[in-house]
Amino acid sequence: MYDPRDTEVLRESLQNLAHHHSKPILMAIAPIGSIDQTDLEFLAEDVELLQRVGMTMYIALRPDELGYSRIFTAINCPIVPINDWHTIVLEARKLSVIKVCLLCGADAIYTAHGPLNDLSVAQAEILVGQEGLTSDARETLVFAIQACLTGVPRVHLSNAHRSGALLEELLTGSGAGVMIYGEAGLYKDVRHAQSPDSSAIIRLLQGLRQRESGLEFIRDHIAEFLVFTVDGNIYGCVRILRYDDIMEISSFGHTARFDALEILRGILQFAFKEAHRQSVSKVMIPVNDLPPLMAIMPLFSDLGFRKENGSPRLGRQKVWTKQLRGE
């Protein structure tokens, strides 16, 4: 039976394939956990598949890892001989790679605050100075920081034990491991919508309100929308309206392929900046324009919102409101 979520996965994967097409990616083995020949043989199947659809993959091997060369030469994946972390950075810059993918023996790096997901270089620099990291994890993060500071946009950590983890890390927005990114690799963004975004916004708003699920309506009101993107792909949207000195944020739509709370938080932070720039005194979010569970999330209280009755003039029942005047 057809499941719309399957189409979301396919579209997301194809968008990321198009983004990565012909752009070099360098893989290397990290000291986190142990990796054996069987792990790399299964990994090679996915690497070969990526190469067949147009991605350019390299594997960096140290002298003691050259025994794995035959696994990758069998799939025509070029071998890059290296001696240490410094050599990986030099080779990555020489190849102009868009990513370095470090193959690990674990799903994530764990800290006192839980597993890591994605980190900016600045966040990673703070983390390596704290207690609780293993020496191998700290060594790997230090390398990732140095690589990003010297021009590698992103460094990914992927579990070589888990089948499909590399595909998930490279071809989905949420990934399957840990990513460290520098200024050249910023990948989450909130921006004003543009005409080519109309079809993506319609997909996000399907089932929310009939009036806002038509292509003509979206095109006519495209300037009123904000979108949340990951690698340029749209994962969330809202509509922004202005009534006197009130900004209304409505029609929140999001994909099931990314954390809805992170999408909402990112959009709200952008909207607050816009509200301050426009000298708006109050931000209002109609409760009925949010997914049911999100309408009662503590996020709103934490951000200074309070729930109250909406204005009859605007035809609203309950709304979240935040006073901005004086902040």
Side-chain angles (χ1 to χ4, degrees):
M1 182 178 293
Y2 169 72
D3 187 336
R5 291 172 297 183
D6 294 339
T7 303
E8 281 195 69
V9 176
L10 289 171
R11 183 177 290 111
E12 181 183 36
S13 298
L14 289 171
Q15 286 172 332
N16 283 303
L17 276 173
H19 178 74
H20 291 94
H21 192 271
S22 299
K23 297 175 182 175
I25 294 173
L26 178 62
M27 299 174 291
I29 298 174
I32 300 175
S34 61
I35 296 175
D36 60 27
Q37 180 168 311
T38 301
D39 294 324
L40 295 180
E41 287 173 345
F42 279 110
L43 178 81
E45 293 181 356
D46 290 341
V47 172
E48 183 179 25
L49 182 59
L50 292 172
Q51 292 179 134
R52 288 169 61 189
V53 294
M55 292 176 64
T56 303
M57 309 293 291
Y58 296 85
I59 179 74
L61 296 176
R62 294 178 172 84
D64 60 321
E65 298 165 346
L66 288 176
Y68 301 134
S69 295
R70 63 174 184 80
I71 298 173
F72 294 95
T73 54
I75 60 169
N76 297 314
C77 178
I79 309 297
V80 178
I82 56 167
N83 293 317
D84 50 31
W85 288 117
H86 179 66
T87 314
I88 296 177
V89 174
L90 293 177
E91 293 296 336
R93 292 183 62 189
K94 187 186 302 181
L95 293 168
S96 299
V97 304
I98 60 167
K99 299 174 185 288
V100 170
C101 289
L102 300 177
L103 310 174
C104 307
D107 260 332
I109 293 178
Y110 293 89
T111 71
H113 304 290
L116 302 180
N117 184 9
D118 55 74
L119 295 166
S120 67
V121 165
Q123 292 170 324
E125 287 176 327
I126 293 172
L127 185 63
V128 296
Q130 297 176 346
E131 298 293 330
L133 285 178
T134 65
S135 59
D136 289 343
R138 180 171 284 104
E139 177 187 349
T140 303
L141 282 178
V142 168
F143 161 75
I145 292 167
Q146 293 173 342
C148 290
L149 290 177
T150 55
V152 176
R154 301 181 190 175
V155 176
H156 295 255
L157 279 68
S158 178
N159 188 355
H161 292 324
R162 188 157 69 81
S163 177
L166 180 65
L167 298 179
E168 191 175 344
E169 180 67 14
L170 293 178
L171 302 182
T172 70
S174 55
V178 183
M179 182 178 75
I180 298 88
Y181 58 92
E183 291 185 5
L186 295 178
Y187 73 115
K188 296 177 187 174
D189 188 30
V190 178
R191 59 171 173 79
H192 291 280
Q194 302 168 0
S195 293
D197 303 328
S198 299
S199 57
I201 292 173
I202 287 173
R203 287 194 295 270
L204 294 173
L205 294 180
Q206 282 177 347
L208 183 62
R209 287 197 290 181
Q210 187 64 36
R211 180 171 65 93
E212 296 185 4
S213 62
L215 183 59
E216 184 177 353
F217 179 91
I218 298 297
R219 285 175 174 167
D220 289 345
H221 295 83
I222 194 68
E224 298 170 356
F225 283 89
L226 299 178
V227 292
F228 178 98
T229 68
V230 180
D231 277 339
N233 302 327
I234 296 175
Y235 284 76
C237 68
V238 296
R239 187 181 179 200
I240 303 290
L241 297 174
R242 176 80 181 269
Y243 305 105
D244 300 324
D245 64 344
I246 298 174
M247 174 182 283
E248 178 183 289
I249 303 175
S250 64
S251 304
F252 175 64
H254 69 91
T255 174
R257 298 291 304 159
F258 205 83
D259 179 22
L261 182 57
E262 184 172 356
I263 294 172
L264 181 61
R265 183 184 291 110
I267 285 175
L268 287 179
Q269 290 171 347
F270 185 95
F272 292 160
K273 292 178 182 177
E274 288 283 292
H276 281 295
R277 186 178 62 81
Q278 298 176 23
S279 299
V280 168
S281 65
K282 183 165 73 172
V283 173
M284 179 177 71
I285 304 176
V287 171
N288 291 342
D289 279 7
L290 292 166
L293 291 178
M294 197 166 284
I296 58 174
M297 276 187 171
L299 166 70
F300 296 106
S301 297
D302 294 342
L303 290 175
F305 282 91
R306 66 177 185 176
K307 191 178 287 188
E308 57 185 40
N309 292 323
S311 167
R313 176 171 65 90
L314 301 179
R316 301 299 189 187
Q317 298 296 318
K318 293 289 185 179
V319 295
W320 286 103
T321 64
K322 178 179 173 66
Q323 297 290 337
L324 297 180
R325 194 62 55 80
E327 285 193 357

